[in-house]
Amino acid sequence: MSDRFSATYLIETGADVASVADELAGEQSTSTSRRVPLETEELFQQYRAHVESIEILGERNEPSLGSIEKPYPVYRQARIVVSWPTHNIGNSLPMLWTTILGNQTGMRRLSGIRLERIDLPSSFVSETLRPAFGIEGTRRLTGTAGRPLIGSVIKPNIGLVPEQTAEVVRGLAESGVDFVKDDELMSNPPYCPIEQRVTRVMDVINRHADKTGKKVMYAFNISGDADELRRRHDAVAEAGGTCVMVNLNSVGLAGVIALRKHSVLPIHGHRAGWATMTRAAMQGLDFSPFQMVHRLAGVDHIHVSGLGRKFWESEESIVGSAKACLSPMTEELEKDDRAMPVVSGGSTIHQAKPTYDKIGSKDLIYVCGSGIMSHPMGPAAGVRSIVDAWEGVISNIDLRSYASSRPALSAALEHWPEPNVSESA
Amino acid sequence: MSDRFSATYLIETGADVASVADELAGEQSTSTSRRVPLETEELFQQYRAHVESIEILGERNEPSLGSIEKPYPVYRQARIVVSWPTHNIGNSLPMLWTTILGNQTGMRRLSGIRLERIDLPSSFVSETLRPAFGIEGTRRLTGTAGRPLIGSVIKPNIGLVPEQTAEVVRGLAESGVDFVKDDELMSNPPYCPIEQRVTRVMDVINRHADKTGKKVMYAFNISGDADELRRRHDAVAEAGGTCVMVNLNSVGLAGVIALRKHSVLPIHGHRAGWATMTRAAMQGLDFSPFQMVHRLAGVDHIHVSGLGRKFWESEESIVGSAKACLSPMTEELEKDDRAMPVVSGGSTIHQAKPTYDKIGSKDLIYVCGSGIMSHPMGPAAGVRSIVDAWEGVISNIDLRSYASSRPALSAALEHWPEPNVSESA
């Protein structure tokens, strides 16, 4: 199989599962409804997709998704694996995507289809761009080690002019954060043009770095068209910035790849809109292939939500997403192709332990909102308390014991005695 | 509202609908979970999204989508309209998308959210690129009038080398088609490099045009990253080609806009993967906002499936999609911003009448596969029969009467006496 890639689908159909799987393989490769002259056996041999396996899972009485297909008495769910020769797509990620999540999703006889995973041969992976910075590069640029990067986000999300944004950054830098990001809703509005925001914010960050030796990584949201992405990237790089952010689903693969080819900075990938691709059980896709295609395109940081219960997603799903970003895409390559998971959404001192216990890694960007800003002793104590909490957790020391000699953590525990139910980050 | 844009959502929640709508407006604009110093009343006034209306539709006992939110006894469905000031996003389409279909789709208290439509002020629309060719430009390049463009697609979908592709094109050109397209699975594989395909195919098309005066429009699938899109576009333009095709969902908005800014040719937009964004009733989006954002980005032709029952979608939905592409985006502008719907999927002589009756327009690209290739008298008669069928339909003459003096249509009716149930195009 070394020259083939494969996709695993959860499918549902009222028709014969094997026949539908075969139709899917045909629809996404050589098939035509009626044989045409050039459709030879040799062409089939070389280009046809194969159904590698079918596992029947269960059944239900109602179809999950709408279709003009006639009603059936029972709908079977199955997991199928389909493979393609890599020469069908060359080394193209957009064409990988069209092949694995294209017209088959609209097949009439399918009442459900969800992409669960993709498996790629090393030969394909090695020709992709993949993260230029990843974990090691991000740590190098931020001078952090042994614990997650502690980050925060500009609040309010939108509405601040460049000067005000820079003032918020000044406060966060002085509080000791490693990382700050724009909100995903903030890119280049007329009241806060990106070039001016870059100039003002980097002035604060560069001065702070000159004074303290610590350079805060700021992820500027440069989301725009491909030319804007490159031009704004250049503005960030010229001002001494160390990170650019893109809304992956609003920009798309062609834009992300264009940026990656041009970029000299880590790319911070926000997944706004991801929920609409994944919440319906029998439609869309799992996070595993989503993060994979973006790592192949060269994204260094990928948002995975957080354990603070801000959004719809279960803890198990969030932990799985973070682990996916931290899993090498192939065992055969020397290059580290992992992305750094961005744990964001209701993160406070209380999520440090479950986050570390369940994800099992320190190589995270841990983004806190009010867990930093609303600390009773101020934001600097807020950052200190989060760092303390992580140090305690990594040393396997109980939070309350560890807090006894640490006033910032102690005050945070007094202020927030219980894990939060809903926070914003 | 002239400086505001709005989105209409179908939502479902077990919680209070008004409270959830308000949370959505906050999440997508100024909100933070805890008030921060710069979150002033003035900022709210200027940047906060507004809930414009709420219409309660009905209720159900089970949530449509998964969430960690506690189970409720009943889930209400409602249609809500939310508006934002345009200065929140400037004139950016990627930021429009992040705002209308971003983090709100993952709200815990929502058990369903589907984007139904967007309404944009003329001031926003007039700053977007929009189709450079559209209906008029496409008709001019193909020399067609008074009936749909009759098109076909290369079969088999994949596996042909450039020389073979050119041979198929030769047959189609000689048969009299107006339009031919690559399959969405065919872009630039190693066995059929796009530059070589362009050279070979355009040689056939240019020779045919020199001989007959009729230049077939060939939509070359140039899907790739932003640089590849432009480079391949240039190869097509230099060879005298008149159309480029992109897989919209695999390329993304940043790539489509980059291409549009650069392009001197109509952009043919394939929607492979669209089904996975729309089939679940309470997730994703309707076709109306999907086609709109791509027209704003400058796509000239947009696939809407066909009435030949190839895919899952109902006739009503397909007809609505085509009508959406043919509706001006604003009444206040001089520029024609309509896109040409591509009716593809099981199209034969029999779909001409329902397509014309229901969509009510001749300004379509009508793409046929076996309806042309499998005609008993050969492809030229296949094309002739489709043209005849459309001429009859437009003149409001019964297909069988019209066929009496037209052997190609007559033979087609004998070969395919009944509307097809499943064809491929």
Side-chain angles (χ1 to χ4, degrees):
Chain A
M1 277 255 312
S2 73
D3 61 341
R4 298 182 79 84
F5 63 95
S6 70
T8 304
Y9 300 97
L10 184 60
I11 66 167
E12 181 186 292
T13 181
D16 176 63
V17 172
S19 148
V20 168
D22 197 56
E23 180 188 340
L24 188 157
E27 174 69 34
Q28 291 309 100
S29 61
T30 55
S31 242
T32 55
S33 60
R34 297 177 193 204
R35 197 79 173 251
V36 294
L38 288 163
E39 209 173 327
T40 60
E41 275 307 315
E42 192 198 349
L43 185 138
F44 271 11
Q45 290 288 331
Q46 282 193 31
Y47 303 103
R48 168 91 185 183
H50 298 161
V51 179
E52 298 286 345
S53 66
I54 296 176
E55 176 195 359
I56 305 292
L57 299 172
E59 54 187 53
R60 46 180 282 148
N61 295 323
E62 296 292 325
S64 292
L65 303 177
S67 172
I68 55 167
E69 185 70 357
K70 63 184 176 240
Y72 291 95
V74 65
Y75 294 83
R76 275 181 205 83
Q77 296 191 338
R79 178 166 291 117
I80 67 169
V81 178
V82 179
S83 76
W84 292 260
T86 53
H87 61 228
N88 283 24
I89 58 169
N91 62 358
S92 172
L93 293 179
M95 291 310 296
L96 173 69
W97 209 245
T98 302
T99 303
I100 62 177
L101 205 67
N103 274 358
Q104 73 269 56
T105 61
M107 278 171 56
R108 212 175 58 190
R109 294 200 296 164
L110 284 174
S111 58
I113 174 165
R114 184 176 175 90
L115 175 65
E116 293 190 318
R117 63 176 282 161
I118 45 180
D119 288 274
L120 303 168
S122 301
S123 56
F124 183 90
V125 174
S126 67
E127 286 190 28
T128 62
L129 295 158
R130 291 166 290 161
F133 291 84
I135 295 165
E136 187 275 332
T138 300
R139 290 208 171 279
R140 178 166 38 79
L141 287 169
T142 53
T144 59
R147 59 163 176 79
L149 271 68
I150 307 303
S152 196
V153 57
I154 300 296
K155 294 282 176 186
N157 302 334
I158 60 167
L160 303 182
V161 300
E163 295 75 9
Q164 290 172 312
T165 309
E167 273 311 298
V168 175
V169 173
R170 187 191 310 277
L172 288 168
E174 286 170 358
S175 74
V177 289
D178 305 308
F179 176 91
V180 181
K181 64 179 275 292
D182 280 329
D183 192 83
E184 81 277 5
L185 296 171
M186 166 60 63
S187 177
N188 184 46
Y191 66 87
C192 190
I194 177 85
E195 287 83 358
Q196 290 179 34
R197 190 162 80 254
V198 167
T199 304
R200 297 281 184 161
V201 166
M202 287 316 301
D203 185 56
V204 167
I205 286 175
N206 289 333
R207 280 170 197 263
H208 183 77
D210 289 345
K211 203 163 66 184
T212 65
K214 182 176 176 68
K215 185 149 191 175
V216 177
M217 177 175 278
Y218 191 101
F220 288 97
N221 185 4
I222 61 170
S223 297
D225 69 46
D227 296 318
E228 290 167 342
L229 286 170
R230 294 184 188 176
R231 197 164 62 235
R232 294 171 186 171
H233 162 276
D234 292 349
V236 174
E238 276 162 32
T242 53
C243 189
V244 289
M245 163 172 158
V246 288
N247 299 338
L248 302 172
N249 298 315
S250 306
V251 160
L253 276 177
V256 172
I257 296 168
L259 175 62
R260 169 65 177 85
K261 284 161 77 176
H262 179 80
S263 183
V264 297
L265 303 173
I267 299 171
H268 186 87
H270 197 284
R271 64 176 195 175
W274 161 243
T276 207
M277 303 155 76
T278 198
R279 281 179 81 173
M282 287 304 297
Q283 183 177 284
L285 67 159
D286 284 357
F287 191 72
S288 167
F290 177 83
Q291 58 86 31
M292 200 161 166
V293 76
H294 288 105
R295 278 160 71 193
L296 293 167
V299 174
D300 298 278
H301 311 152
I302 303 181
H303 278 245
V304 299
S305 193
L307 301 189
R309 298 172 51 87
K310 185 181 175 196
F311 292 111
W312 69 282
E313 201 177 346
S314 73
E315 188 171 280
E316 183 191 3
S317 175
I318 295 166
V319 168
S321 297
K323 285 185 168 176
C325 295
L326 291 165
S327 301
M329 287 188 283
T330 161
E331 287 168 18
E332 298 170 44
L333 297 167
E334 291 297 306
K335 182 173 163 50
D336 183 357
D337 61 19
R338 296 173 300 164
M340 211 156 182
V342 183
V343 177
S344 177
S347 298
T348 70
I349 50 168
H350 293 291
Q351 279 73 47
K353 184 165 168 58
T355 299
Y356 187 56
D357 285 352
K358 285 165 187 161
I359 298 175
S361 175
K362 301 182 271 265
D363 293 324
L364 312 168
I365 302 179
Y366 190 74
V367 178
C368 306
S370 53
I372 287 174
M373 297 306 290
S374 305
H375 191 283
M377 292 157 64
V383 175
R384 187 67 252 165
S385 70
I386 305 280
V387 172
D388 287 346
W390 271 98
E391 285 177 356
V393 165
I394 290 166
S395 308
N396 203 20
I397 302 169
D398 174 74
L399 218 58
R400 291 183 189 275
S401 314
Y402 203 66
S404 63
S405 58
R406 289 169 179 83
L409 182 56
S410 180
L413 275 167
E414 193 147 326
H415 193 69
W416 295 296
E418 298 298 328
N420 53 307
V421 169
S422 177
E423 299 269 338
S424 180
Chain B
M1 276 256 312
S2 72
D3 61 341
R4 298 182 77 83
F5 63 94
S6 70
T8 304
Y9 300 97
L10 183 62
I11 66 166
E12 181 186 290
T13 180
D16 176 64
V17 172
S19 147
V20 168
D22 196 57
E23 180 188 339
L24 187 157
E27 174 71 33
Q28 291 309 100
S29 60
T30 56
S31 243
T32 55
S33 62
R34 298 178 191 202
R35 197 79 172 252
V36 295
L38 289 163
E39 209 173 327
T40 60
E41 276 307 315
E42 193 199 348
L43 185 139
F44 270 12
Q45 289 289 331
Q46 283 193 30
Y47 304 102
R48 168 91 184 185
H50 297 160
V51 179
E52 299 286 344
S53 67
I54 296 176
E55 176 195 0
I56 305 291
L57 300 173
E59 52 187 53
R60 45 180 283 147
N61 295 322
E62 296 292 325
S64 291
L65 303 178
S67 172
I68 55 166
E69 186 70 356
K70 62 183 177 243
Y72 292 94
V74 65
Y75 294 83
R76 275 182 204 83
Q77 296 191 340
R79 178 167 292 117
I80 67 169
V81 178
V82 179
S83 77
W84 291 261
T86 52
H87 61 227
N88 282 23
I89 58 169
N91 62 359
S92 171
L93 294 179
M95 292 310 294
L96 172 68
W97 209 245
T98 302
T99 303
I100 61 176
L101 206 66
N103 273 359
Q104 73 269 55
T105 61
M107 278 172 56
R108 211 177 58 191
R109 294 201 296 164
L110 284 174
S111 58
I113 175 167
R114 183 176 175 89
L115 175 66
E116 293 190 318
R117 62 177 282 161
I118 47 180
D119 288 274
L120 303 169
S122 300
S123 55
F124 183 91
V125 174
S126 66
E127 287 190 27
T128 60
L129 295 159
R130 291 165 290 159
F133 291 84
I135 295 165
E136 186 276 331
T138 300
R139 288 209 173 278
R140 179 167 36 82
L141 287 169
T142 52
T144 59
R147 59 163 176 79
L149 271 69
I150 307 304
S152 195
V153 56
I154 300 296
K155 294 280 176 189
N157 303 333
I158 60 167
L160 303 182
V161 301
E163 293 75 10
Q164 291 172 311
T165 309
E167 273 311 299
V168 175
V169 173
R170 186 191 311 276
L172 288 168
E174 287 169 359
S175 74
V177 289
D178 305 307
F179 176 91
V180 181
K181 63 179 277 293
D182 279 329
D183 193 82
E184 81 277 4
L185 295 172
M186 166 59 64
S187 178
N188 183 46
Y191 67 87
C192 189
I194 177 85
E195 286 82 0
Q196 289 180 34
R197 190 161 80 253
V198 167
T199 304
R200 297 281 184 161
V201 166
M202 286 316 302
D203 185 57
V204 167
I205 287 175
N206 290 333
R207 280 171 196 262
H208 183 76
D210 289 345
K211 203 162 66 184
T212 65
K214 181 175 177 68
K215 185 147 188 176
V216 176
M217 177 176 277
Y218 190 101
F220 288 97
N221 185 5
I222 60 170
S223 297
D225 69 47
D227 296 319
E228 289 167 343
L229 287 170
R230 294 183 189 177
R231 197 163 62 236
R232 294 171 187 172
H233 161 277
D234 292 349
V236 174
E238 276 162 33
T242 53
C243 189
V244 289
M245 163 173 159
V246 287
N247 298 338
L248 302 172
N249 298 315
S250 306
V251 159
L253 276 176
V256 172
I257 296 168
L259 175 62
R260 168 65 178 83
K261 285 161 75 176
H262 178 80
S263 183
V264 298
L265 303 173
I267 299 170
H268 186 87
H270 197 282
R271 64 177 196 175
W274 160 244
T276 205
M277 303 155 76
T278 199
R279 282 180 79 173
M282 287 303 299
Q283 182 178 285
L285 66 160
D286 285 356
F287 190 72
S288 167
F290 177 84
Q291 59 85 29
M292 200 162 167
V293 76
H294 288 105
R295 277 161 71 194
L296 293 166
V299 174
D300 297 278
H301 311 153
I302 303 180
H303 278 245
V304 299
S305 193
L307 301 190
R309 299 173 52 86
K310 186 181 174 195
F311 292 111
W312 69 281
E313 203 177 345
S314 73
E315 189 171 279
E316 183 191 2
S317 175
I318 294 166
V319 168
S321 297
K323 285 184 168 177
C325 295
L326 290 165
S327 302
M329 286 188 284
T330 161
E331 287 168 16
E332 300 170 43
L333 297 168
E334 291 298 306
K335 181 173 162 54
D336 183 358
D337 61 18
R338 295 172 300 164
M340 211 157 183
V342 183
V343 177
S344 177
S347 298
T348 69
I349 49 166
H350 293 290
Q351 279 74 47
K353 183 165 169 56
T355 299
Y356 187 55
D357 286 351
K358 284 165 188 162
I359 298 175
S361 175
K362 301 182 271 267
D363 292 324
L364 312 169
I365 302 178
Y366 191 74
V367 178
C368 307
S370 52
I372 288 176
M373 297 306 290
S374 305
H375 191 284
M377 293 156 64
V383 173
R384 187 67 251 167
S385 70
I386 305 280
V387 172
D388 287 346
W390 270 98
E391 285 176 357
V393 164
I394 289 166
S395 308
N396 202 21
I397 303 170
D398 173 73
L399 216 59
R400 288 182 192 277
S401 314
Y402 203 67
S404 63
S405 59
R406 289 169 180 83
L409 182 56
S410 179
L413 275 167
E414 192 148 327
H415 193 70
W416 296 295
E418 297 298 327
N420 54 306
V421 170
S422 176
E423 298 271 338
S424 180

